[in-house]
Amino acid sequence: GISFTTGPISLSALGQQNVTLLATGTPTSGILTTLNLTGTPGATGICSIEVPVSPQPVAYVMTCASIATTGSYAPGLAMSTANTMTVNVNATFPGNWSITTDTQNGVSFSGSGTLTTGTNTLTLQATGTPASGGVYTFTLTSNSASGSTTCTRNIQFVYRTMRILGLGSGTYQPGTASASQSSRSILQSQANFGANGTFPVQSMSITNGANASATALRTAINSNNIDIIVIGYNYTPNADQRAVLIDFVNNKKGVLIHSQENDASGAAALINAITGGSTTVSGTGTTYYNPILNVDDPILNGPFGDYRSRATGSDVNNSYYVANVPSTVEVLARNENDASRAHIFRHKTKGYVYIGDSGWTSGDVTNNSTTIWPARTTATGVPLSKPYTGGTVYNSFIYANAMAWAIKYAQENTITTYQVQ
């Protein structure tokens, strides 16, 4: 798109002379351009010269209001290809674009490519692993040579809404417990599981499954798209109900918190079907106090504190204990008088926890008994320890840590589209 010419000139002497050529036109691209020089009349040869034409610097304006994000942003969950940020830009000079963000909460975004003139939608990919919950402001910076080169975008790091099904009755499961009773209040406390709580979650949706039959249980799971099931006192699943629960854990990849102190053979059948073991289950009749092992497990050492080498309490001295536990589980608490019998254990890869007491989450702010309702809280549902027969117990904290582990497991594994059979 360019040329050079001297216009008419007068060569009034012999020998070498310098003449000046003036350029006209507009370059169409930034490349090394070869021009051939000719003269008329009288020129005896043709010369060539290379003229470097620098590219026009890329210029575009980001539309800050158009910025959107995809994917889940939760503490401890590494970014994947699903975590992106998109922004619309208007390019006045096309070329190679590059946009990056600063690093916030262990996460950053970046992207690059080639722009065409006009409107373009650009995608930035996230990298990193969030360290905590909360709202963080990311600043986008572009390589545009002109115009606005920065934008900001807020991202809230929380776990998605969790859908919880309670089975059983009374104070012993979150679907039937009152707002002031620990089974429910711990989950609904914004200080615990709110968007800005100790373990940030969008919300906790609780459904009461009562003593659902197999058909009703299946319907409750599928129609409410349940992520986590909590079994409390008076729910003793039969073979048909166990089949639904097993499908929920093994195939939907949901989380089952299985608290049971009745029907020893039925409890063992469910444990063995999920863990692949050959356990036996039996009661004690004398123990209120269950020592916690010194195991670095997320239920014992989690966001609500480290309770290794402490204890949980049984709601009345009628707990179940499990012998011959398989290697697929991690034992977390045991019988006070027999270390070989497990009271609490968690499956190492599946969403399954067993607690040999159906009332271990029962309690409130007022009950001071040392033999019942071992899960004490503040008036707003924040966990507290409780003096108990045998020593201080920490049921509320273990329950809160267990739910935090369950939420993280569900977000990473639960297949929300799967319908249990």
Side-chain angles (χ1 to χ4, degrees), residues 40-58:
T40 185
T44 59
I46 298 176
C47 299
S48 63
I49 185 171
E50 292 184 331
V51 180
V53 181
S54 299
Q56 169 67 39
V58 63

Side-chain angles (χ1 to χ4, degrees), residues 379-403:
T380 58
V382 175
L384 294 173
S385 60
K386 187 178 184 182
Y388 217 62
T389 297
T392 301
V393 296
Y394 296 85
N395 290 45
S396 293
F397 294 100
I398 299 300
Y399 180 39
N401 275 345
M403 290 305 300

Side-chain angles (χ1 to χ4, degrees), residues 68 93 107 171 232 271 285 291 295 318 322 395:
F93 287 100
V107 173
T171 185
I271 291 169
V295 176
N318 55 2
V322 183
N395 290 45

Side-chain angles (χ1 to χ4, degrees), residues 199-394:
F199 194 80
V201 184
Q202 278 183 327
S203 66
M204 303 282 263
S205 175
I206 299 173
T207 299
N208 177 26
N211 290 291
S213 65
T215 299
L217 177 59
R218 184 182 303 109
T219 299
I221 294 170
N222 291 337
S223 61
N224 294 286
N225 206 2
I226 295 298
D227 299 295
I228 302 166
I229 297 175
V230 179
I231 294 179
Y233 176 70
N234 213 27
Y235 192 78
T236 53
N238 60 28
D240 292 338
Q241 293 161 327
R242 291 196 296 269
V244 176
L245 296 172
I246 293 164
D247 188 37
F248 174 77
V249 171
N250 287 345
N251 298 316
K252 188 175 177 67
K253 309 298 183 184
V255 177
L256 175 61
I257 297 179
H258 176 203
S259 313
Q260 188 170 346
E261 63 183 36
N262 300 94
D263 183 16
S265 62
L270 183 52
I271 291 169
N272 293 333
I274 292 174
T275 66
S278 56
T279 64
T280 57
V281 177
S282 59
T284 173
T286 60
T287 299
Y288 293 97
Y289 188 82
N290 307 291
I292 293 172
L293 303 186
N294 186 19
V295 176
D296 192 11
D297 184 90
I299 292 178
L300 304 184
N301 182 20
F304 292 89
D306 183 353
Y307 300 96
R308 289 173 289 181
S309 301
R310 300 193 185 185
T312 63
S314 295
D315 180 47
V316 187
N317 59 350
N318 55 2
S319 288
Y320 273 176
Y321 296 88
V322 183
N324 194 34
V325 294
S327 61
T328 55
V329 308
E330 187 76 67
V331 176
L332 307 182
R334 62 175 179 82
N335 181 277
E336 182 181 19
N337 302 313
D338 185 351
S340 68
R341 300 172 71 201
H343 182 61
I344 303 175
F345 56 78
R346 179 184 64 83
H347 198 284
K348 293 178 180 177
T349 59
K350 296 179 181 180
Y352 179 69
V353 179
Y354 176 78
I355 305 95
D357 187 85
S358 297
W360 76 290
T361 64
S362 59
D364 61 17
V365 68
T366 61
N367 187 282
N368 295 315
S369 171
T370 60
T371 59
I372 65 169
W373 288 27
R376 188 173 175 82
T377 67
T378 68
T380 58
V382 175
L384 294 173
S385 60
K386 187 178 184 182
Y388 217 62
T389 297
T392 301
V393 296
Y394 296 85

